[in-house]
Amino acid sequence: LKMNEHGEYITKNLEKKLGFFWRNQNKLNKSSKITYLKALVIPHFDICSSILLMCDKGKIDKFESILKKFVRLIMCDKITPIHELYKKLNVVSVKNRIRINSLKTIDKLMKNNVPSDIKSKFYPNSRWRSLLLRSANLLYVPNYSNMAARKSLFMYGIDHYNKFLEYKKKLPASNVN
């Protein structure tokens, strides 16, 4: 599987759906449009998030652009900032959706809800007593020399997990769950 080719495939598929949506938008009411978005478009970002994570930034920006077009067509609004439209439709941006799914994967990893062959490749930092630079809750990831290993789902996911823990430390005690 080549990530860029798969990204192109997803882009073409979403553009076909956007074209169909554009041609038929006058025949659909708002609730049908929202159902179309949530049933036929958003699953591409959820199901394929591990693959999307490995795509380059340009592809993710293209996915984001397509999602923005869908949202603007549904809301019939070209002026309101996109984050407000996302909030009204209860939709998360593509980049944030990929982050959320990566964190869910890492959460499963931490709770031992993944196959043992995957779990064996990652170690909680508390097992590495010589590395006192990080907190014991963070995950230690070995440094890989090739780019493919650096761009893997788990490398990005663990990076997001570690950043999330650092962010959580900075929050006031009342906001931390």
Side-chain angles (χ1 to χ4, degrees):
L1 180 66
K2 295 183 180 176
M3 299 309 152
N4 286 334
E5 288 177 12
H6 189 69
E8 286 293 325
Y9 173 77
I10 292 172
T11 302
K12 287 179 185 175
N13 196 341
L14 289 172
E15 286 174 342
K16 286 179 189 176
K17 290 178 181 181
L18 181 63
F20 175 81
F21 188 78
W22 177 262
R23 289 188 303 272
N24 295 301
Q25 68 178 333
N26 295 331
K27 299 174 187 170
L28 300 171
N29 61 16
K30 189 173 181 177
S31 106
S32 297
K33 292 177 183 179
I34 293 170
T35 303
Y36 183 89
L37 174 73
K38 292 188 177 184
L40 297 175
V41 176
I42 294 200
H44 283 285
F45 307 128
D46 286 335
I47 296 169
C48 302
S49 63
S50 60
I51 294 172
L52 296 179
L53 190 63
M54 295 179 227
C55 288
D56 59 1
K57 186 181 181 317
K59 288 276 180 261
I60 293 174
D61 290 343
K62 181 69 175 171
F63 299 143
E64 190 72 47
S65 152
I66 292 171
L67 182 62
K68 286 178 184 177
K69 288 176 185 175
F70 270 107
V71 169
R72 292 211 181 271
L73 283 173
I74 290 170
M75 299 302 285
C76 299
D77 188 351
K78 295 180 180 180
I79 300 169
T80 307
I82 195 69
H83 66 275
E84 291 179 21
L85 296 177
Y86 283 164
K87 197 178 288 184
K88 287 179 184 175
L89 287 176
N90 196 20
V91 173
V92 179
S93 71
V94 174
K95 190 173 183 180
N96 287 339
R97 188 169 292 280
I98 291 170
R99 284 186 182 144
I100 289 166
N101 289 333
S102 298
L103 287 171
K104 285 179 184 176
T105 303
I106 297 304
D107 185 52
K108 288 179 184 178
L109 178 72
M110 296 300 290
K111 292 179 179 175
N112 290 325
N113 291 338
V114 294
S116 60
D117 59 328
I118 294 174
K119 178 68 175 164
S120 66
K121 294 183 172 46
F122 301 95
Y123 309 101
N125 205 13
S126 58
R127 288 179 50 191
W128 294 81
R129 304 233 184 267
S130 62
L131 296 173
L132 299 175
L133 301 174
R134 296 181 176 183
S135 99
N137 293 331
L138 299 183
L139 292 175
Y140 169 74
V141 182
N143 290 328
Y144 290 105
S145 57
N146 62 4
M147 189 54 86
R150 285 185 196 156
K151 292 186 81 175
S152 71
L153 164 68
F154 293 106
M155 292 293 287
Y156 277 110
I158 288 174
D159 185 47
H160 289 307
Y161 177 80
N162 289 341
K163 286 178 183 174
F164 174 72
L165 288 177
E166 291 298 321
Y167 171 75
K168 198 172 174 182
K169 282 182 189 176
K170 293 176 185 175
L171 290 176
S174 62
N175 292 343
V176 178
N177 293 331

